[in-house]
Amino acid sequence: MLQLVITLALAATMAQCEEEVMKNLTTVTWAHAVNDKAYLEKALASDVSMLEADIVLGHITGKDGPPIPVMAHPPATTSDLSLSEFLSTVKQHNNLNSKQKGVKLDFKSIEAFEKAQPIIAPYSKPEVRAGIASNSQPVLLDLLRETAYLNSSMTVWSSEGDFVEVDRLRALLLTVGLERSYLDVPKDLADRLHLPPAANVKN
């Protein structure tokens, strides 16, 4: 499984968020598995800040032709929402609303990621898995310093059962700054980090 974070007008998003959220990005709220038009519409109308969605190589429901990146979770390979439409819909929402949304895309295959390159290229930004981040502080700090002019931030994620050196990860988050660190991890890991206040967790 390959994962990539994509943010749309994220700097503007944070400028519109409440002051406390701007100080601590680990409190940003998430909607997960936003893989169809109905849920996308609901998520865009909600108070969440970030939308997480899954991408496979497949087809729009009822349509033939070469496979394209669509929003679905395996084993599904059909959807009523393509990656292109997903991104354009979020972008349109952000252009028209003061409270904008960022997105996190979870590519389920290398093939889906490769096909998506022309679509996501204008928006892409890397993320790091929590278990790796906890042991990569020097590299990550160098990367953030080198991209500071882009108003860069870091997204740390993990899955249930991942081994994470909690103390090191907490130190990394506090060193980078909670105002520059998104957190998308299971509740038990978030609780063990003891970040102020209430770190955002996966549903």
Side-chain angles (χ1 to χ4, degrees):
M1 180 175 62
L2 177 65
Q3 290 199 326
L4 177 77
V5 161
I6 294 176
T7 56
L8 299 179
L10 186 55
T13 301
M14 298 317 300
Q16 299 294 337
C17 287
E18 296 179 0
E19 184 177 355
E20 290 306 309
V21 173
M22 292 174 65
K23 292 178 181 177
N24 185 352
L25 295 183
T26 67
T27 64
V28 167
T29 52
W30 296 78
H32 289 94
V34 185
N35 295 336
D36 59 68
K37 289 182 178 180
Y39 191 22
L40 175 58
E41 182 179 354
K42 180 180 178 181
L44 289 175
S46 73
D47 291 331
V48 300
S49 301
M50 296 289 287
L51 314 180
E52 185 270 345
D54 306 294
I55 300 93
V56 300
L57 207 55
H59 295 86
I60 295 297
T61 306
K63 293 188 177 181
D64 297 322
I68 62 172
V70 297
M71 315 310 290
H73 191 285
T77 57
T78 60
S79 174
D80 66 352
L81 185 60
S82 69
L83 172 61
S84 179
E85 185 178 1
F86 175 91
L87 291 177
S88 64
T89 301
V90 176
K91 183 176 181 179
Q92 182 178 24
H93 169 89
N94 286 351
N95 287 339
L96 298 175
N97 293 271
S98 58
K99 287 192 175 181
Q100 303 176 2
K101 310 294 184 184
V103 302
K104 169 185 172 182
L105 301 181
D106 184 351
F107 290 90
K108 296 303 183 181
S109 71
I110 294 294
E111 293 77 15
F113 176 69
E114 290 175 345
K115 282 278 189 179
Q117 284 298 296
I119 302 170
I120 66 174
Y123 311 111
S124 60
K125 180 186 76 172
E127 70 171 357
V128 61
R129 195 164 191 157
I132 297 173
S134 62
N135 291 304
S136 305
Q137 180 166 317
V139 174
L140 291 171
L141 292 178
D142 285 345
L143 176 62
L144 289 169
R145 275 193 292 268
E146 291 172 4
T147 58
Y149 70 97
L150 296 174
N151 195 27
S152 56
S153 60
M154 174 180 70
T155 300
V156 174
W157 67 277
S158 74
S159 300
E160 293 286 352
D162 283 359
F163 174 75
V164 178
E165 295 196 40
V166 176
D167 290 341
R168 287 189 177 186
L169 179 57
R170 185 176 191 277
L172 172 65
L173 292 168
L174 294 177
T175 300
V176 170
L178 299 183
E179 76 283 0
R180 298 179 67 193
S181 303
Y182 290 92
L183 190 66
D184 186 18
V185 302
K187 185 178 186 305
D188 63 330
L189 175 56
D191 289 344
R192 286 186 289 142
L193 287 169
H194 299 297
L195 295 173
N200 184 56
V201 298
K202 289 184 176 179
N203 294 326

